[in-house]
Every structure is written in structure tokens, then in C-alpha cells.
Amino acid sequence: MSTTDILITGIGTALPGVEGPMDLVDTATPRAGTAPPVDPAALIGKRGLRYKDRASQLALCAALAALTDAGLWAKDQLTVAGPSVAVVVSSNLGNLDTVCEVAADITTEGVNGISPMGLPNASSNVIASSVAIRFGLQGPNLMVCNGATSGLDAVHWGAAMLRAGRAERALVIGVETHNGPVEWLVGRPAAELLDGAVALLLETAPAAAERGSAPIAVLGSYAREASVEACVRRLVPTHSGQPGSWFVPEGHREASPAPLAGVARTDLTERFGRASGALGVLQCATAARQLAAGGEAIEQPPVLVTSGNDHDDASAGLLLRAVGASA
Amino acid sequence: MTTEPQAFAQSRSTPSDGAPDLVFTGIGAVASVGGSADEIFQALCAGRSGLAELRSFDRGRYRVQHAYEIDDRPESGADAPGRATRWLLDAIAEAARDAGLGEDLAGIPILIGTGLRELRSAELGWRDGADFDLARLHFGTALRERFGAVRTYTFSNACSASLYALALGSDLLAAGEAETVIVAGVDTLTESMYGLLDRVHMEAPDQLRPFDRERKGVLMGEGAAAVVLRRADSNGGAPVRGRLRSVAVNCDAYHVTAPDPNGIAEAVRTAHREAGVKPEDIDLVMLHGTGTLLNDEAEATAVGEVFGSHVSRPLMTAIKSMTGHTSGGSGLLSLIVALQAIEGGRIPPVVGLREPVAEAESFRLVRDEQRIAEPLLAQVDAFGFGGVNAVAIVERAAL
């Protein structure tokens, strides 16, 4: 590791059929569609959940789990200075229900027929600010709503803010839910859509070292390109070795680009449903646990994560390395 | 949970210790008061407001009857999807042209800050069956079609979104990951936001009156703004519109809608520190000034605290008095007006301001008419729901 590395030092989940991050690499767990939905009140208590939309509630659950996993939350308190922690949330559909339903209600009942408690949820960044408020995270607070690649883009911008010295840690959350408006806009039934959240705690190597935290994985290069092929070629040059595994974009069935011939592929949407803005974060969390399970072998190859297929506006990719593996 | 912002040992480089010089090489904008950056600046200096009776929605459903809209709906007057995207593309094309970049922007990162994305189109699709597609909820799809751009990002960061995007864009340049970035902001009225704001007003405002004792609240406005930002060392001596000295971003972590003066003050201090300037160096403050009861008080308190005995020195203005609150795009629109004020030697007034609130009594607010002045250094404020604060410092380009 070098002092400029960005590390993953915590993972938190609020996913159906998943007890915790370790379950991400246990493929025997049930498919999301068949598991009972996440119950936020059971995970983090009822206090503060009233008036929060479902996406914000799920994000709060994943946030607490990741902060706790990273050792940053103990005895109901943040163990580091609030301004040192940035928040980055990715969600495309999080507040779509409030927006669509309020607009429809105004038409039928007029403006006096709507509840003023919905106001915060009309702004798409309500998830990110709710997380900051609950845990006292006063660093930069960013809501990424960037389509199919949004989750990976969020991880990238979390890392970029740390590299730029804007914070020492970034809590990156991917979350989506389903409801009438989401099913309408995605064009899929609820059973095929993710209702869950996952969070990563990114930390600069010096900040992690200072508090003696054990990293789970190390972030590598990122790219956002015009196609899956272009993205893979950018991140896996022909002269370099192959990645150990490849998390493919949602529904990507095409033959691998040449650099990835024979590499094991995983489409997490087969297990969790269409995850939209949550997918990239979910992929990184799973890849990180996979690398950690592989031990600290210097020879362990990186894992390639990609979101956004050739029907989307772009394809984004990120490499993750095992702790102790050479860059 | 409320805590005082604590000092956090930052390791950011500042202009004094080797961070690259960043320059604006192009600007573009669209708003209720004009269809280009120049038109907007002329209108604002003339004190011309975009205020009108509400046109996008069925007025009979609302108590609030006014807004600052761009009146470009189809002839039937009914609202149509995709208007925000259209203004965004127009503003970016104008900025790119101004910078001599043309229409092929492949390879240039484009960062968009928006409060409400294309959620207005989603409302029209869900409720009225208008044609709308998930791929157009963010702006990357349209940016690729029009400009061939693929390093595109839509950040939905409430009313500070476009200055947040500017902060991230400046980081890309400083890290050497790009020589040029385009940063833009855009917002349209959504019925959900307009209606919910209406619902929480004690009394319906009929004009946005920043810092006035009689202000009744915020009114929404529509618009887009775009800038081309480059590393000066890659600009090859081409003309520039100004320099970016710093952009600070933070979060109050205090309340989902109410502001916290402590968080705002911290953002202003950080912006000054990173720019290597002191409050007494600032010549012009482009206030966020939303006309909201709580927000104006919080901003005035924070600015008063940071500027201390120098608070009466800089000229101050608040363009939302004429553009309405253009939400996520508003910070960048203020920044563009700051660049134009620095270039043009005149500063648009705050209109509708009769008696300032106590917290702003000692501010040197430009009132009623434009002010002829030669500011060199300007501060631009933008604060949003959830306590997301962003403050930029811009400067006249070296002559």
C-alpha cells in the first residue's frame, strides 16, 4: 500500500436475504425476490424514521452498519471529527414516489390536500442529508443520480474527494427501492427490483493507519467510457494480467472483450434484482469481500467491476485490489 | 444531533503552494430574464425581473400564484417534458462556443449540478402519460447525443448543486485528470416542489425579496448556467473570463430543510482560506438570498460573523430578486454574473428591497439600480436543503 491509496475499511448492508457483508460472498443465500423485505425499525430503531421515505430509511440502516464495521461509530457516537467524513449517495429512483404522488395529489385535491411533511423528500438529496444529520457527518455531502453507472460513479467521486483533501473518509451508499412510480418508470414488476441499500466506508491510507483500522480492499483505477468494450480496454490493457473476476453490467450477456476471455463473470442483478443506482456500490462491496476472503496473497489478481451496458449513456468500471497485492 | 463544526486538519493545496491556476474560458446561461449570458446580465443590470403569474401549472390548484419561468412551452400552453434538458444543452453550447470548443465535447468531463433533474418530466409521465424514459431522468443521455460526451455526471445536490459540481470539476483539473472541464447547472419548476413550498408558506409570496423585512418566502425560477473551466497552463494564452480561486463545500448535518449559520460560516471561512484571501479582500458578495424567512437570516448572520468589522466593505447583491430561485443552477448563475460584473464594471441591484433585516443592516447592498464599480475579487454563495453549503471565490483575470 502507498500513502495515496484509498482503502475500503467498512461495509454495511440493508439487503433482503443478507445478514451482513459476509453473506455477500455466500451465494447460497436466497434470491432477493424470495427473501422478506428489510425492516429498518428492527435494524436501527423507530426513532427518527417517521416521515423518512423508504430509500432514506434503508440508507440509514446501511450507513450505521458500515460506520460500525469501520469502527467509526461506538456508543451512539462518531469516533472521529464530523467534518472529516464526507457522504456520497447514489440513487436514481429514491424520491421518485414523493415527486410523482405529490404532483398527482395536487391535481386531485389541490395544494391544501398534500402534507407539508413531504417537503424534504421532494429534493433528491434528502437521502444524503438524512445520513449526515443522523450521524453528524459534516464533510462534503453529495447525491449522485447518474443513471446505470451511478453507483460506481459515486465510489469514484468519494475517492476523488479524499484524494483532493476535502475529507479523510467518505461514506458511499447505493440505495434503491420499489413502489408504483418506480415500477412504472423502470417498466418492471416489484419482484424484479432491488429494495435495499449497501454502504462502503472509504478512507485515506494515512487516516486508516492513524486509527489502526484494518482495510478490506484497495481501490484502483476508474473509467467512464462509451461502451463496455472501451471501458474494459481502458482498465485492463492487453499487456497486463487478467483480473481474477469480473462483475458485469446489468444484463450483460455479450461475449467478453478479448482481455477478459475466460474470466469468471458475476451479474449481481440475477441475485438482487435490478439495482439501478445501487448496483455499483453493491458490486464494490461484494468484490471487496471476495478479495478479503482471498487473503493477502501478493499474487492475488484484482477484481474488475463494471456498470452500464451498451444501451446506457456510458459504461463505468473500477478495479479493486486485495490488501497487500501489488498495484 | 447538532455539533459545532470542528476544525479538521485539511491537506488541500492552495494557490500559494503550487495548486494549478484555473481559469474560466467560456460562459453560457438561460433564465426567465434572457436567453444568453449577455442578455441576462443586461436585464439584471437594468433591474428587469422575470416575475410573472404562474404559467406551467393549473393556477387554480395553488395559493402561490407567481414564479420566474422560462416561457417556452408549446403553443397550447400545456407543459411538455424535456425542457430542463433543452436549456442545459443551450447553456453548454453557448459556453463551449464562447470558449472556442465547438460542438464536439467527447473527452471533456461535463459535470451537472441540479436540484430536480428531469423530475418535472417524470411528473408529466406518471400523471398525464407524457412520453418519458428512465434514461432521461439524468442528463448523460442527452449530453452524449448532442456533444458525444461520455464522462458526464449528474449531481442532485439541491440548491448548491452547481457549485458542488464546480468544486468537483476543479478537483479533476487540479489532479491533472483533465485539462478542461465543463460545469453546468439547471432546474425547472416541478409541481411537487412548487406545491410543497406553497404548502409551508405562512402567506403566499408574490415576489422574491431577499433580505427584506417584509419578505414572505421563496419563489421558484427556471434556468441553466454553464462554464468552461481550464488549467491556465493548458490554455495557450487564449482569452479568459476570470479565475477560480477556490470552492469550499460542506454539510451542516443539522436539518433537512432549515439552514445552520455555523455550517454556512464554516464554508465561507474555508473558501477564503483555500483562496488565500481575507474578508477585507473581498469586493463583491453574490449572496444566495432566497427571500426565505430562515435562510436569509442564517446567511446574513454567517456573513456578518465571518466578515466582522469589514462587513460594510464589499458590495453585495442577490440576483434571485430578478431570476427567482433557480435551484441547483442558481450558484453557477450567480458566479457567471460575478464574472460579468468584474469584466463589465457594474453590479446588478437587489430589487424589491425596502428595509433590510436587522442581520443585514450594515451590509452594503446594491439597491434599486445597478452600481458602477470595479470589483476584483468576488465571493459566490449557494446553500441548499439538507444543509449542503458551497462557496466559491472568483477573481478578475490578470490583465
Side-chain angles (χ1 to χ4, degrees):
Chain A
M1 271 186 298
S2 94
T3 55
T4 56
D5 277 341
I6 304 297
L7 314 173
I8 296 175
T9 59
I11 299 176
T13 57
L15 297 164
V18 170
E19 291 280 319
M22 297 302 179
D23 284 356
L24 290 172
V25 285
D26 173 10
T27 47
T29 52
R31 293 170 63 91
T34 61
V38 173
D39 178 3
L43 289 176
I44 59 170
K46 279 186 194 164
R47 192 185 62 83
L49 294 188
R50 204 176 173 205
Y51 303 123
K52 294 277 175 232
D53 61 21
R54 171 83 181 161
S56 297
Q57 293 185 359
L58 292 167
L60 289 171
C61 296
L64 177 60
L67 289 170
T68 306
D69 189 43
L72 292 174
W73 190 259
K75 297 176 188 158
D76 281 335
Q77 276 198 344
L78 195 63
T79 61
V80 293
S84 77
V85 190
V87 175
V88 185
V89 176
S90 168
S91 181
N92 290 310
L93 305 158
N95 74 331
L96 187 70
D97 54 341
T98 296
V99 169
C100 290
E101 285 161 6
V102 166
D105 288 349
I106 290 170
T107 303
T108 53
E109 298 165 46
V111 78
N112 290 321
I114 59 173
S115 164
M117 300 315 290
L119 178 60
N121 299 337
S123 186
S124 303
N125 73 324
V126 67
I127 309 170
S129 58
S130 295
V131 168
I133 292 163
R134 178 141 184 153
F135 303 109
L137 312 178
Q138 295 166 314
N141 190 274
L142 187 68
M143 188 75 207
V144 184
C145 303
N146 206 40
T149 65
S150 196
L152 275 189
D153 299 332
V155 175
H156 160 67
W157 286 110
M161 289 199 289
L162 301 190
R163 291 193 183 103
R166 292 192 183 273
E168 294 176 321
R169 306 165 183 93
L171 179 59
V172 182
I173 303 171
V175 58
E176 295 292 2
T177 185
H178 53 65
N179 47 54
V182 169
E183 289 173 52
W184 159 72
L185 192 55
V186 182
R188 294 283 157 178
E192 294 179 22
L193 302 171
L194 175 72
D195 171 49
V198 60
L200 304 176
L201 196 291
L202 307 183
E203 195 159 12
T204 65
E210 194 180 312
R211 55 185 199 91
S213 72
I216 301 164
V218 185
L219 296 191
S221 304
Y222 158 91
R224 195 175 197 270
E225 299 291 334
S227 65
V228 177
E229 172 99 26
C231 187
V232 167
R233 288 191 183 278
R234 168 64 69 96
L235 292 172
V236 187
T238 39
H239 61 267
S240 76
Q242 283 190 327
S245 84
W246 178 26
F247 287 82
V248 300
E250 174 184 297
H252 184 79
R253 297 284 173 275
E254 286 76 7
S256 303
L260 297 181
V263 174
R265 300 158 63 128
T266 308
D267 182 351
L268 285 175
T269 60
E270 288 171 2
R271 179 171 165 205
F272 289 101
R274 293 184 180 232
S276 192
L279 178 62
V281 187
L282 179 60
Q283 289 172 319
C284 288
T286 308
R289 284 302 346 160
Q290 204 177 72
L291 286 163
E296 294 197 10
I298 290 183
E299 298 304 319
Q300 195 182 164
V303 172
L304 174 66
V305 163
T306 53
S307 290
N309 60 40
D310 293 346
H311 305 287
D312 296 307
D313 58 308
S315 181
L318 182 71
L319 287 166
L320 289 91
R321 301 196 310 271
V323 176
S326 50
Chain B
M1 173 168 150
T2 310
T3 49
E4 292 289 312
Q6 306 156 31
F8 148 57
Q10 296 229 345
S11 52
R12 286 173 60 68
S13 51
T14 57
S16 52
D17 62 343
D21 203 9
L22 305 182
V23 291
F24 296 99
T25 59
I27 59 174
V30 188
S32 56
V33 295
S36 68
D38 271 354
E39 263 183 50
I40 292 168
F41 188 62
Q42 300 305 336
L44 296 178
C45 287
R48 204 154 58 234
S49 166
L51 181 66
E53 286 198 313
L54 179 65
R55 288 165 292 199
S56 280
F57 316 144
D58 174 2
R59 221 175 291 156
R61 303 273 154 207
Y62 298 90
R63 293 186 309 152
V64 177
Q65 298 288 304
H66 295 85
Y68 300 74
E69 294 163 88
I70 296 175
D71 196 14
D72 67 347
R73 280 162 300 275
E75 279 192 20
S76 66
D79 206 352
R83 290 164 67 232
T85 299
R86 192 164 71 228
W87 307 329
L88 176 71
L89 298 179
D90 286 350
I92 289 174
E94 183 188 350
R97 208 162 45 238
D98 189 34
L101 291 177
E103 288 266 317
D104 179 4
L105 304 177
I108 295 181
I110 304 181
L111 288 71
I112 310 299
T114 175
L116 303 167
R117 304 180 271 160
E118 270 292 0
L119 286 169
R120 174 55 181 159
S121 299
E123 290 178 347
L124 292 167
W126 166 253
R127 193 193 55 199
D128 306 337
D131 189 24
F132 182 63
D133 179 337
L134 174 61
R136 299 190 179 275
L137 193 55
H138 69 298
F139 298 105
T141 304
L143 292 170
R144 180 163 179 186
E145 285 168 357
R146 170 77 180 267
F147 302 116
V150 291
R151 290 175 73 186
T152 57
Y153 300 96
T154 299
F155 302 111
S156 193
N157 250 43
C159 303
S160 58
S162 54
L163 289 193
Y164 251 85
L166 184 67
L168 298 173
S170 70
D171 288 350
L172 273 189
L173 296 175
E177 289 183 32
E179 292 184 345
T180 306
V181 298
I182 292 176
V183 178
V186 65
D187 266 304
T188 177
L189 270 59
T190 62
E191 213 156 342
S192 50
M193 182 59 85
Y194 189 88
L196 284 160
L197 288 171
D198 182 332
R199 189 73 180 76
V200 299
H201 284 134
M202 283 182 285
E203 202 182 334
D206 54 7
Q207 186 183 3
L208 193 160
R209 296 173 59 190
F211 303 102
D212 191 275
R213 282 174 199 257
E214 302 293 317
R215 72 196 183 286
K216 292 177 189 160
V218 68
L219 285 174
M220 292 176 76
E222 296 183 321
V227 297
V228 177
L229 185 68
R230 302 196 65 161
R231 288 175 66 112
D233 58 18
S234 73
N235 196 40
V240 306
R241 313 285 312 243
R243 293 174 69 199
L244 178 66
R245 294 287 300 267
S246 69
V247 197
V249 292
N250 73 355
C251 180
D252 296 341
Y254 170 68
H255 191 271
V256 278
T257 55
D260 176 9
N262 293 318
I264 293 174
E266 190 56 31
V268 176
R269 281 192 205 98
T270 304
H272 289 181
R273 187 176 65 239
E274 292 186 359
V277 303
K278 297 187 172 64
E280 56 266 40
D281 300 327
I282 304 284
D283 303 309
L284 171 65
V285 180
M286 304 296 297
L287 294 157
H288 187 55
T290 61
T292 312
L293 300 183
L294 272 178
N295 292 15
D296 286 0
E297 255 177 48
E299 182 177 20
T301 300
V303 168
E305 186 191 312
V306 174
F307 280 75
S309 60
H310 305 289
V311 78
S312 300
R313 186 187 173 277
L315 289 163
M316 299 195 190
T317 192
I319 62 169
K320 291 184 184 64
S321 62
M322 292 174 277
T323 63
H325 192 348
T326 55
S327 188
S330 71
L332 204 60
L333 188 58
S334 287
L335 184 144
I336 287 172
V337 172
L339 296 178
Q340 292 171 306
I342 290 169
E343 265 181 0
R346 52 201 185 123
I347 298 164
V350 186
V351 303
L353 176 59
R354 288 197 273 273
E355 199 180 347
V357 293
E359 294 82 359
E361 258 172 354
S362 47
F363 289 8
R364 210 169 143 218
L365 289 155
V366 179
R367 308 264 292 265
D368 307 317
E369 287 184 355
Q370 67 172 349
R371 176 76 174 249
I372 305 301
E374 291 195 352
L376 300 178
L377 197 63
Q379 169 184 326
V380 185
D381 292 356
F383 315 117
F385 269 9
V388 285
N389 306 311
V391 177
I393 306 292
V394 299
E395 187 180 31
R396 185 165 76 176
L399 295 175

